[in-house]
Structure formats: C-alpha cells, structure tokens
Amino acid sequence: MPELPDVEGFRRVLAQHATGQRIERVTAPAPEVVRNTSPQALGRAVHHRHFAEPARHGKWLFAPVDDGDGPIVVMHFAMSGRLTWEPGQTRRDQHDRVVFVCAGGELRFNQMRKFGGVWLAADLAERDVITGPLGPDALGVDREAFHAGLDGRRGMIKSALMDQEVLAGLGNLTADEVLWHACVHPRAHVNALDVDTRDRVHEAIGHVLAESVRHGRVPVLDGWLTGSRDDDEPTCPRCGTPLEHGTVSSRTTYWCPQCQRL
DNA sequence: CAGGATGTTGGGTC
DNA sequence: CGACCCAACATCCT
C-alpha cells in the first residue's frame, strides 16, 4: 500500500508519539527485516537514545535519534508495510517485524511481505548510500525541478513518474491518479509532451498529493480514479466513458480513453 | 489453484 | 553510458 501519502502518515505517527521518547530496547521477531546489521547491533546503537524529529523523502522514512547527530533509523515499507504506535504493552501483531520499545509505548514496523525493511545509518552519508539516488520529493516539487527531471526522457510518462531517481514518492496508484487528473495517457512518451502538458502533470501532482496527504493515504473519492477503478464496470468519473486498463511498466494501469488520448 | 498485488533491485537489451 | 524493460523477491488474498 505505502506510497508517499502513506509514508507521510507514518512520519506523523512517529512525530506525534515517538519523538522525545527514550528507546529502551529493540526487538525483532523477524531479524532478517533489519537489513544492514543485526537487531542486536541496531539495539546497541539506539539504546537509551531519544527519537528526534523524523523526516521523509519519497517513500523513505528517516528516524534520527538524539537531535539528529546520532544514528539514523531508515525505513522502507515496500508494498505492505505500516508503522504503528501502541501505548503501553498491548499484544503484538503477527506481522510486527521490528519493535522499538520505549518507556511510554512501542513503535512497531509491521509488514506482511518482507520486502522493504529497517536499516541503520551512522550518518547522513550512510543514509544516502542506503536509499540510493533519489529525485526531488514529489510533495511540493517545484516546476523547474519537475521539468528538469523529465528532460531527456523518451519513454512512457508513467514510467518516468514512477522512477524514484526522477521524482521520489509516486507509485502505481498515484501515478495513475495524477495522469487522469492531468488528462495525459499513461503510455504517452515524455518527449512527445509539450510544456503546457508537462505543466498540467506538475499541477496534478501537487493537487493529488496535497489531498492524499490530508487523508493520510490515496483517498477513495468520488471524482477520483481511485473511486472508480475497483468497481465492477469502472467508468470515468469525469465523462462516464468505461475505463480501460492494461500494463504499463509491468504494473496494472487504468485510464480513460476519452479524457486521456494518446 | 493460479495469478496478482499500491515497491525496489539487478541483469540484460537497445 | 543512459534509458528502458522484466523477472525476482515473500506472503496473502481472490
């Protein structure tokens, strides 16, 4: 599930509940989900330190400890991850993979499928190696940076929007939603899109992400593609034309053949 | 039961 | 070298 809006929601969970908390210990029911070290070493690195203000870039979540000059806990949720805060000691979920036990509660990295995971970075440089190169965060990306990211691309616009090195944060769901709002066909080639069209895509990114972040996820809304795509006979919320679907960049893709012409 | 699923990576191709 | 495509990853659901 997690795309940028979901991860932003997890960042808020962390900011509201975990920031300022002292970490008593780390326990990892699924130790292999701690990717670049052992759960024991992770536990030693953060032992009795306090969660500082968390940050997010694209779909990555960063939880530094001790005012930001300590180590950084790096998290990626892939397709099925969540981050929850449980005050006190309630029963754990079957899919709680890594748990940060604090004095006032537990921060739990929960994940059904074990893609993503939790990393330990000693500093910002290590953090950047873990994430690999990322384009500008899609939330609030400015027009110039967006155009620069598309510059030189020749492939399909949906592929470019989902390429984290071009723009960090959009996934399959948000990319479809953005292109539907902008009236651009997902298979349109980037080099065939004029400046006005690219501007429309940029505006749609701003609109879709702002609204989604407000909801803490990509909302299932009337008047949005998400509100229709899972219907039995999905139709375009704008014009009523039956939606088409197919595969773009190996992902299931929905579009309106009337509003989104090639 | 086979096929898919909202993400990323690595390998191969053009 | 850059851009692109696709299979693989782990697990559950339809």
Side-chain angles (χ1 to χ4, degrees):
Chain A
M1 188 215 316
E3 298 187 24
L4 186 153
D6 310 87
V7 180
E8 178 61 18
F10 303 149
R11 191 192 64 75
R12 289 177 187 176
V13 166
L14 218 165
Q16 282 175 17
H17 300 290
T19 297
Q21 288 274 343
R22 189 175 79 158
I23 302 164
E24 305 298 335
R25 62 197 168 83
V26 174
T27 175
E32 70 274 24
V33 169
V34 179
R35 298 289 166 180
N36 67 340
T37 183
S38 66
Q40 291 73 24
L42 172 62
R44 280 195 300 276
V46 300
H47 183 65
H48 280 190
R49 290 173 178 262
H50 297 74
F51 277 115
E53 195 64 31
R56 179 193 57 71
H57 190 105
K59 302 168 192 171
W60 290 88
L61 183 61
F62 308 123
V65 297
D66 286 348
D67 294 331
D69 58 353
I72 304 163
V73 179
V74 176
M75 293 180 251
H76 196 289
F77 300 89
M79 290 204 285
S80 64
R82 296 181 295 140
L83 192 68
T84 63
W85 173 261
E86 288 294 332
Q89 307 185 341
T90 52
R91 248 205 27 216
R92 301 239 174 90
D93 181 87
Q94 177 191 358
H95 299 118
D96 286 335
R97 308 299 194 183
V98 181
V99 178
F100 297 85
V101 181
C102 303
E106 295 185 351
L107 187 72
R108 301 175 180 177
F109 182 88
N110 181 293
Q111 197 174 43
M112 190 177 73
R113 279 166 250 140
K114 293 184 253 181
F115 288 180
V118 176
W119 288 254
L120 174 67
D123 51 34
L124 290 174
E126 267 191 40
R127 186 195 75 177
D128 292 345
V129 170
I130 290 165
T131 66
L134 294 172
D137 189 73
L139 183 62
V141 62
D142 68 37
R143 181 176 178 274
E144 282 63 39
F146 178 70
H147 281 272
L150 293 185
D151 198 40
R153 302 285 297 203
R154 287 171 285 110
M156 295 180 282
I157 180 67
K158 180 171 178 181
S159 308
L161 291 183
M162 290 201 303
D163 186 336
Q164 303 298 297
E165 293 190 40
V166 170
L167 196 62
L170 297 188
N172 193 38
L173 221 51
T174 32
D176 276 7
E177 193 65 47
V178 160
L179 291 170
W180 179 80
H181 278 265
C183 299
V184 174
H185 196 291
R187 290 195 177 122
H189 283 243
V190 173
N191 51 312
L193 302 179
D194 61 26
V195 173
D196 285 352
T197 306
R198 295 181 192 206
D199 276 339
R200 238 172 34 236
V201 174
H202 176 243
E203 282 168 30
I205 289 171
H207 176 244
V208 167
L209 288 185
E211 194 67 6
S212 297
V213 163
R214 235 169 43 79
H215 289 260
R217 52 166 298 177
V218 183
V220 179
L221 274 185
D222 285 345
W224 278 39
L225 195 63
T226 49
S228 304
R229 59 180 283 165
D230 293 331
D231 293 349
D232 285 341
E233 311 241 327
T235 57
C236 174
R238 195 161 36 216
C239 72
T241 304
L243 295 178
E244 286 190 7
H245 64 96
T247 298
V248 178
S249 285
S250 321
R251 325 297 316 189
T252 303
T253 300
Y254 286 82
W255 69 91
C256 171
Q258 175 70 27
C259 300
Q260 298 165 271
R261 308 282 189 117
L262 258 185

PDB file of all heavy atoms in Angstrom, chain A residues 104-134:
ATOM      1  N   GLY A 104       7.150   4.920  27.062  1.00  0.00           N
ATOM      2  CA  GLY A 104       5.714   5.182  27.023  1.00  0.00           C
ATOM      3  C   GLY A 104       4.931   4.365  26.012  1.00  0.00           C
ATOM      4  O   GLY A 104       3.745   4.614  25.806  1.00  0.00           O
ATOM      5  N   GLY A 105       5.585   3.432  25.350  1.00  0.00           N
ATOM      6  CA  GLY A 105       4.877   2.648  24.343  1.00  0.00           C
ATOM      7  C   GLY A 105       5.836   2.011  23.359  1.00  0.00           C
ATOM      8  O   GLY A 105       7.055   2.029  23.570  1.00  0.00           O
ATOM      9  N   GLU A 106       5.281   1.463  22.314  1.00  0.00           N
ATOM     10  CA  GLU A 106       6.107   0.748  21.335  1.00  0.00           C
ATOM     11  C   GLU A 106       5.864   1.270  19.930  1.00  0.00           C
ATOM     12  O   GLU A 106       4.717   1.412  19.496  1.00  0.00           O
ATOM     13  CB  GLU A 106       5.783  -0.755  21.373  1.00  0.00           C
ATOM     14  CG  GLU A 106       6.146  -1.406  22.687  1.00  0.00           C
ATOM     15  CD  GLU A 106       5.935  -2.910  22.680  1.00  0.00           C
ATOM     16  OE1 GLU A 106       5.343  -3.437  21.704  1.00  0.00           O
ATOM     17  OE2 GLU A 106       6.360  -3.557  23.649  1.00  0.00           O
ATOM     18  N   LEU A 107       6.951   1.511  19.215  1.00  0.00           N
ATOM     19  CA  LEU A 107       6.889   1.841  17.791  1.00  0.00           C
ATOM     20  C   LEU A 107       7.136   0.549  17.027  1.00  0.00           C
ATOM     21  O   LEU A 107       8.170  -0.102  17.220  1.00  0.00           O
ATOM     22  CB  LEU A 107       7.945   2.893  17.444  1.00  0.00           C
ATOM     23  CG  LEU A 107       7.878   3.453  16.028  1.00  0.00           C
ATOM     24  CD1 LEU A 107       6.666   4.373  15.865  1.00  0.00           C
ATOM     25  CD2 LEU A 107       9.154   4.217  15.694  1.00  0.00           C
ATOM     26  N   ARG A 108       6.172   0.184  16.176  1.00  0.00           N
ATOM     27  CA  ARG A 108       6.239  -1.135  15.543  1.00  0.00           C
ATOM     28  C   ARG A 108       6.269  -1.031  14.022  1.00  0.00           C
ATOM     29  O   ARG A 108       5.355  -0.479  13.407  1.00  0.00           O
ATOM     30  CB  ARG A 108       5.029  -1.968  15.961  1.00  0.00           C
ATOM     31  CG  ARG A 108       4.949  -2.166  17.469  1.00  0.00           C
ATOM     32  CD  ARG A 108       3.677  -2.890  17.847  1.00  0.00           C
ATOM     33  NE  ARG A 108       3.600  -3.092  19.300  1.00  0.00           N
ATOM     34  CZ  ARG A 108       2.555  -3.650  19.905  1.00  0.00           C
ATOM     35  NH1 ARG A 108       1.520  -4.059  19.200  1.00  0.00           N
ATOM     36  NH2 ARG A 108       2.566  -3.806  21.220  1.00  0.00           N
ATOM     37  N   PHE A 109       7.325  -1.571  13.442  1.00  0.00           N
ATOM     38  CA  PHE A 109       7.429  -1.705  11.981  1.00  0.00           C
ATOM     39  C   PHE A 109       6.745  -3.010  11.610  1.00  0.00           C
ATOM     40  O   PHE A 109       7.222  -4.088  11.935  1.00  0.00           O
ATOM     41  CB  PHE A 109       8.899  -1.719  11.563  1.00  0.00           C
ATOM     42  CG  PHE A 109       9.108  -1.817  10.075  1.00  0.00           C
ATOM     43  CD1 PHE A 109       9.163  -0.675   9.288  1.00  0.00           C
ATOM     44  CD2 PHE A 109       9.255  -3.060   9.465  1.00  0.00           C
ATOM     45  CE1 PHE A 109       9.362  -0.777   7.912  1.00  0.00           C
ATOM     46  CE2 PHE A 109       9.456  -3.159   8.097  1.00  0.00           C
ATOM     47  CZ  PHE A 109       9.503  -2.014   7.314  1.00  0.00           C
ATOM     48  N   ASN A 110       5.589  -2.882  10.956  1.00  0.00           N
ATOM     49  CA  ASN A 110       4.738  -4.036  10.648  1.00  0.00           C
ATOM     50  C   ASN A 110       4.725  -4.245   9.139  1.00  0.00           C
ATOM     51  O   ASN A 110       4.564  -3.292   8.376  1.00  0.00           O
ATOM     52  CB  ASN A 110       3.322  -3.747  11.172  1.00  0.00           C
ATOM     53  CG  ASN A 110       2.359  -4.894  10.920  1.00  0.00           C
ATOM     54  OD1 ASN A 110       2.016  -5.198   9.785  1.00  0.00           O
ATOM     55  ND2 ASN A 110       1.909  -5.516  12.000  1.00  0.00           N
ATOM     56  N   GLN A 111       4.873  -5.496   8.722  1.00  0.00           N
ATOM     57  CA  GLN A 111       4.955  -5.753   7.284  1.00  0.00           C
ATOM     58  C   GLN A 111       4.578  -7.191   6.980  1.00  0.00           C
ATOM     59  O   GLN A 111       5.187  -8.123   7.480  1.00  0.00           O
ATOM     60  CB  GLN A 111       6.385  -5.482   6.812  1.00  0.00           C
ATOM     61  CG  GLN A 111       6.506  -5.310   5.326  1.00  0.00           C
ATOM     62  CD  GLN A 111       7.893  -4.901   4.941  1.00  0.00           C
ATOM     63  OE1 GLN A 111       8.852  -5.451   5.464  1.00  0.00           O
ATOM     64  NE2 GLN A 111       8.023  -3.960   4.033  1.00  0.00           N
ATOM     65  N   MET A 112       3.552  -7.339   6.162  1.00  0.00           N
ATOM     66  CA  MET A 112       3.105  -8.681   5.813  1.00  0.00           C
ATOM     67  C   MET A 112       4.169  -9.397   4.978  1.00  0.00           C
ATOM     68  O   MET A 112       4.676 -10.435   5.358  1.00  0.00           O
ATOM     69  CB  MET A 112       1.797  -8.594   5.043  1.00  0.00           C
ATOM     70  CG  MET A 112       1.116  -9.909   4.844  1.00  0.00           C
ATOM     71  SD  MET A 112      -0.454  -9.681   4.012  1.00  0.00           S
ATOM     72  CE  MET A 112       0.081  -9.300   2.359  1.00  0.00           C
ATOM     73  N   ARG A 113       4.472  -8.823   3.828  1.00  0.00           N
ATOM     74  CA  ARG A 113       5.526  -9.379   2.987  1.00  0.00           C
ATOM     75  C   ARG A 113       6.835  -8.744   3.387  1.00  0.00           C
ATOM     76  O   ARG A 113       6.892  -7.560   3.660  1.00  0.00           O
ATOM     77  CB  ARG A 113       5.261  -9.064   1.516  1.00  0.00           C
ATOM     78  CG  ARG A 113       4.272  -9.988   0.889  1.00  0.00           C
ATOM     79  CD  ARG A 113       3.816  -9.424  -0.422  1.00  0.00           C
ATOM     80  NE  ARG A 113       2.445  -8.985  -0.319  1.00  0.00           N
ATOM     81  CZ  ARG A 113       1.958  -7.883  -0.860  1.00  0.00           C
ATOM     82  NH1 ARG A 113       2.738  -7.080  -1.523  1.00  0.00           N
ATOM     83  NH2 ARG A 113       0.720  -7.579  -0.735  1.00  0.00           N
ATOM     84  N   LYS A 114       7.887  -9.538   3.367  1.00  0.00           N
ATOM     85  CA  LYS A 114       9.163  -8.997   3.859  1.00  0.00           C
ATOM     86  C   LYS A 114       9.997  -8.419   2.729  1.00  0.00           C
ATOM     87  O   LYS A 114      11.070  -8.896   2.414  1.00  0.00           O
ATOM     88  CB  LYS A 114       9.921 -10.083   4.627  1.00  0.00           C
ATOM     89  CG  LYS A 114       9.211 -10.470   5.920  1.00  0.00           C
ATOM     90  CD  LYS A 114       9.992 -11.466   6.726  1.00  0.00           C
ATOM     91  CE  LYS A 114       9.370 -12.831   6.681  1.00  0.00           C
ATOM     92  NZ  LYS A 114      10.096 -13.814   7.484  1.00  0.00           N
ATOM     93  N   PHE A 115       9.466  -7.402   2.026  1.00  0.00           N
ATOM     94  CA  PHE A 115      10.290  -6.652   1.088  1.00  0.00           C
ATOM     95  C   PHE A 115      10.998  -5.584   1.911  1.00  0.00           C
ATOM     96  O   PHE A 115      11.593  -5.911   2.884  1.00  0.00           O
ATOM     97  CB  PHE A 115       9.422  -6.066  -0.016  1.00  0.00           C
ATOM     98  CG  PHE A 115       8.922  -7.098  -0.988  1.00  0.00           C
ATOM     99  CD1 PHE A 115       8.123  -6.763  -2.039  1.00  0.00           C
ATOM    100  CD2 PHE A 115       9.273  -8.432  -0.838  1.00  0.00           C
ATOM    101  CE1 PHE A 115       7.666  -7.730  -2.940  1.00  0.00           C
ATOM    102  CE2 PHE A 115       8.829  -9.399  -1.727  1.00  0.00           C
ATOM    103  CZ  PHE A 115       8.011  -9.040  -2.777  1.00  0.00           C
ATOM    104  N   GLY A 116      10.958  -4.325   1.528  1.00  0.00           N
ATOM    105  CA  GLY A 116      11.443  -3.246   2.385  1.00  0.00           C
ATOM    106  C   GLY A 116      12.230  -3.647   3.629  1.00  0.00           C
ATOM    107  O   GLY A 116      12.918  -4.640   3.660  1.00  0.00           O
ATOM    108  N   GLY A 117      12.130  -2.881   4.671  1.00  0.00           N
ATOM    109  CA  GLY A 117      12.792  -3.234   5.908  1.00  0.00           C
ATOM    110  C   GLY A 117      13.316  -2.033   6.667  1.00  0.00           C
ATOM    111  O   GLY A 117      12.915  -0.895   6.422  1.00  0.00           O
ATOM    112  N   VAL A 118      14.220  -2.333   7.615  1.00  0.00           N
ATOM    113  CA  VAL A 118      14.783  -1.319   8.510  1.00  0.00           C
ATOM    114  C   VAL A 118      16.298  -1.365   8.383  1.00  0.00           C
ATOM    115  O   VAL A 118      16.884  -2.444   8.385  1.00  0.00           O
ATOM    116  CB  VAL A 118      14.364  -1.600   9.970  1.00  0.00           C
ATOM    117  CG1 VAL A 118      15.009  -0.612  10.922  1.00  0.00           C
ATOM    118  CG2 VAL A 118      12.841  -1.581  10.113  1.00  0.00           C
ATOM    119  N   TRP A 119      16.906  -0.203   8.247  1.00  0.00           N
ATOM    120  CA  TRP A 119      18.353  -0.096   8.143  1.00  0.00           C
ATOM    121  C   TRP A 119      18.877   0.804   9.269  1.00  0.00           C
ATOM    122  O   TRP A 119      18.130   1.616   9.813  1.00  0.00           O
ATOM    123  CB  TRP A 119      18.766   0.565   6.821  1.00  0.00           C
ATOM    124  CG  TRP A 119      18.604  -0.246   5.579  1.00  0.00           C
ATOM    125  CD1 TRP A 119      19.598  -0.841   4.849  1.00  0.00           C
ATOM    126  CD2 TRP A 119      17.392  -0.521   4.846  1.00  0.00           C
ATOM    127  NE1 TRP A 119      19.080  -1.464   3.734  1.00  0.00           N
ATOM    128  CE2 TRP A 119      17.728  -1.297   3.716  1.00  0.00           C
ATOM    129  CE3 TRP A 119      16.046  -0.204   5.056  1.00  0.00           C
ATOM    130  CZ2 TRP A 119      16.780  -1.747   2.795  1.00  0.00           C
ATOM    131  CZ3 TRP A 119      15.092  -0.650   4.142  1.00  0.00           C
ATOM    132  CH2 TRP A 119      15.470  -1.417   3.032  1.00  0.00           C
ATOM    133  N   LEU A 120      20.161   0.668   9.560  1.00  0.00           N
ATOM    134  CA  LEU A 120      20.820   1.583  10.488  1.00  0.00           C
ATOM    135  C   LEU A 120      21.885   2.362   9.724  1.00  0.00           C
ATOM    136  O   LEU A 120      22.732   1.772   9.055  1.00  0.00           O
ATOM    137  CB  LEU A 120      21.483   0.793  11.627  1.00  0.00           C
ATOM    138  CG  LEU A 120      22.332   1.615  12.590  1.00  0.00           C
ATOM    139  CD1 LEU A 120      21.473   2.585  13.397  1.00  0.00           C
ATOM    140  CD2 LEU A 120      23.128   0.697  13.527  1.00  0.00           C
ATOM    141  N   ALA A 121      21.798   3.691   9.801  1.00  0.00           N
ATOM    142  CA  ALA A 121      22.810   4.547   9.175  1.00  0.00           C
ATOM    143  C   ALA A 121      23.530   5.326  10.272  1.00  0.00           C
ATOM    144  O   ALA A 121      22.889   5.860  11.184  1.00  0.00           O
ATOM    145  CB  ALA A 121      22.157   5.514   8.189  1.00  0.00           C
ATOM    146  N   ALA A 122      24.859   5.386  10.179  1.00  0.00           N
ATOM    147  CA  ALA A 122      25.622   6.103  11.194  1.00  0.00           C
ATOM    148  C   ALA A 122      25.502   7.610  11.003  1.00  0.00           C
ATOM    149  O   ALA A 122      25.597   8.372  11.965  1.00  0.00           O
ATOM    150  CB  ALA A 122      27.094   5.690  11.148  1.00  0.00           C
ATOM    151  N   ASP A 123      25.279   8.040   9.775  1.00  0.00           N
ATOM    152  CA  ASP A 123      25.218   9.467   9.491  1.00  0.00           C
ATOM    153  C   ASP A 123      24.487   9.692   8.166  1.00  0.00           C
ATOM    154  O   ASP A 123      24.031   8.739   7.545  1.00  0.00           O
ATOM    155  CB  ASP A 123      26.628  10.068   9.435  1.00  0.00           C
ATOM    156  CG  ASP A 123      27.543   9.267   8.498  1.00  0.00           C
ATOM    157  OD1 ASP A 123      27.048   8.748   7.484  1.00  0.00           O
ATOM    158  OD2 ASP A 123      28.740   9.147   8.804  1.00  0.00           O
ATOM    159  N   LEU A 124      24.419  10.953   7.759  1.00  0.00           N
ATOM    160  CA  LEU A 124      23.674  11.289   6.545  1.00  0.00           C
ATOM    161  C   LEU A 124      24.277  10.646   5.304  1.00  0.00           C
ATOM    162  O   LEU A 124      23.555  10.219   4.403  1.00  0.00           O
ATOM    163  CB  LEU A 124      23.622  12.811   6.364  1.00  0.00           C
ATOM    164  CG  LEU A 124      22.750  13.555   7.379  1.00  0.00           C
ATOM    165  CD1 LEU A 124      22.891  15.058   7.192  1.00  0.00           C
ATOM    166  CD2 LEU A 124      21.297  13.124   7.249  1.00  0.00           C
ATOM    167  N   ALA A 125      25.593  10.563   5.270  1.00  0.00           N
ATOM    168  CA  ALA A 125      26.236   9.973   4.091  1.00  0.00           C
ATOM    169  C   ALA A 125      25.837   8.505   3.950  1.00  0.00           C
ATOM    170  O   ALA A 125      25.525   8.037   2.848  1.00  0.00           O
ATOM    171  CB  ALA A 125      27.754  10.114   4.204  1.00  0.00           C
ATOM    172  N   GLU A 126      25.841   7.799   5.069  1.00  0.00           N
ATOM    173  CA  GLU A 126      25.419   6.397   5.014  1.00  0.00           C
ATOM    174  C   GLU A 126      23.959   6.262   4.634  1.00  0.00           C
ATOM    175  O   GLU A 126      23.563   5.352   3.910  1.00  0.00           O
ATOM    176  CB  GLU A 126      25.645   5.726   6.380  1.00  0.00           C
ATOM    177  CG  GLU A 126      26.972   5.027   6.497  1.00  0.00           C
ATOM    178  CD  GLU A 126      27.060   4.160   7.750  1.00  0.00           C
ATOM    179  OE1 GLU A 126      26.075   3.480   8.116  1.00  0.00           O
ATOM    180  OE2 GLU A 126      28.125   4.189   8.364  1.00  0.00           O
ATOM    181  N   ARG A 127      23.172   7.163   5.143  1.00  0.00           N
ATOM    182  CA  ARG A 127      21.746   7.163   4.807  1.00  0.00           C
ATOM    183  C   ARG A 127      21.550   7.259   3.289  1.00  0.00           C
ATOM    184  O   ARG A 127      20.752   6.537   2.702  1.00  0.00           O
ATOM    185  CB  ARG A 127      21.061   8.346   5.494  1.00  0.00           C
ATOM    186  CG  ARG A 127      19.564   8.371   5.344  1.00  0.00           C
ATOM    187  CD  ARG A 127      19.013   9.724   5.711  1.00  0.00           C
ATOM    188  NE  ARG A 127      19.278  10.711   4.652  1.00  0.00           N
ATOM    189  CZ  ARG A 127      18.862  11.960   4.658  1.00  0.00           C
ATOM    190  NH1 ARG A 127      18.165  12.403   5.680  1.00  0.00           N
ATOM    191  NH2 ARG A 127      19.127  12.779   3.665  1.00  0.00           N
ATOM    192  N   ASP A 128      22.293   8.149   2.662  1.00  0.00           N
ATOM    193  CA  ASP A 128      22.146   8.347   1.221  1.00  0.00           C
ATOM    194  C   ASP A 128      22.591   7.134   0.419  1.00  0.00           C
ATOM    195  O   ASP A 128      22.060   6.854  -0.658  1.00  0.00           O
ATOM    196  CB  ASP A 128      22.929   9.592   0.776  1.00  0.00           C
ATOM    197  CG  ASP A 128      22.295  10.867   1.323  1.00  0.00           C
ATOM    198  OD1 ASP A 128      21.137  10.804   1.784  1.00  0.00           O
ATOM    199  OD2 ASP A 128      22.963  11.917   1.283  1.00  0.00           O
ATOM    200  N   VAL A 129      23.583   6.419   0.943  1.00  0.00           N
ATOM    201  CA  VAL A 129      24.010   5.192   0.267  1.00  0.00           C
ATOM    202  C   VAL A 129      22.891   4.149   0.336  1.00  0.00           C
ATOM    203  O   VAL A 129      22.627   3.428  -0.631  1.00  0.00           O
ATOM    204  CB  VAL A 129      25.313   4.649   0.901  1.00  0.00           C
ATOM    205  CG1 VAL A 129      25.625   3.257   0.367  1.00  0.00           C
ATOM    206  CG2 VAL A 129      26.466   5.613   0.649  1.00  0.00           C
ATOM    207  N   ILE A 130      22.233   4.082   1.483  1.00  0.00           N
ATOM    208  CA  ILE A 130      21.157   3.100   1.669  1.00  0.00           C
ATOM    209  C   ILE A 130      19.998   3.370   0.705  1.00  0.00           C
ATOM    210  O   ILE A 130      19.489   2.462   0.054  1.00  0.00           O
ATOM    211  CB  ILE A 130      20.665   3.116   3.127  1.00  0.00           C
ATOM    212  CG1 ILE A 130      21.749   2.539   4.048  1.00  0.00           C
ATOM    213  CG2 ILE A 130      19.364   2.331   3.280  1.00  0.00           C
ATOM    214  CD1 ILE A 130      21.539   2.832   5.519  1.00  0.00           C
ATOM    215  N   THR A 131      19.584   4.611   0.600  1.00  0.00           N
ATOM    216  CA  THR A 131      18.433   4.907  -0.256  1.00  0.00           C
ATOM    217  C   THR A 131      18.798   4.868  -1.734  1.00  0.00           C
ATOM    218  O   THR A 131      17.930   4.615  -2.565  1.00  0.00           O
ATOM    219  CB  THR A 131      17.862   6.313   0.024  1.00  0.00           C
ATOM    220  OG1 THR A 131      18.825   7.292  -0.352  1.00  0.00           O
ATOM    221  CG2 THR A 131      17.486   6.468   1.481  1.00  0.00           C
ATOM    222  N   GLY A 132      20.055   5.089  -2.047  1.00  0.00           N
ATOM    223  CA  GLY A 132      20.434   5.251  -3.442  1.00  0.00           C
ATOM    224  C   GLY A 132      19.971   6.609  -3.926  1.00  0.00           C
ATOM    225  O   GLY A 132      19.308   7.346  -3.188  1.00  0.00           O
ATOM    226  N   PRO A 133      20.308   6.955  -5.161  1.00  0.00           N
ATOM    227  CA  PRO A 133      19.959   8.285  -5.659  1.00  0.00           C
ATOM    228  C   PRO A 133      18.451   8.476  -5.754  1.00  0.00           C
ATOM    229  O   PRO A 133      17.732   7.590  -6.220  1.00  0.00           O
ATOM    230  CB  PRO A 133      20.607   8.338  -7.047  1.00  0.00           C
ATOM    231  CG  PRO A 133      20.898   6.920  -7.408  1.00  0.00           C
ATOM    232  CD  PRO A 133      21.081   6.175  -6.134  1.00  0.00           C
ATOM    233  N   LEU A 134      17.990   9.604  -5.289  1.00  0.00           N
ATOM    234  CA  LEU A 134      16.563   9.932  -5.328  1.00  0.00           C
ATOM    235  C   LEU A 134      16.377  11.302  -5.954  1.00  0.00           C
ATOM    236  O   LEU A 134      17.157  12.216  -5.698  1.00  0.00           O
ATOM    237  CB  LEU A 134      15.967   9.956  -3.913  1.00  0.00           C
ATOM    238  CG  LEU A 134      15.913   8.642  -3.134  1.00  0.00           C
ATOM    239  CD1 LEU A 134      15.468   8.902  -1.697  1.00  0.00           C
ATOM    240  CD2 LEU A 134      14.997   7.645  -3.818  1.00  0.00           C
TER     241      LEU A 134
END
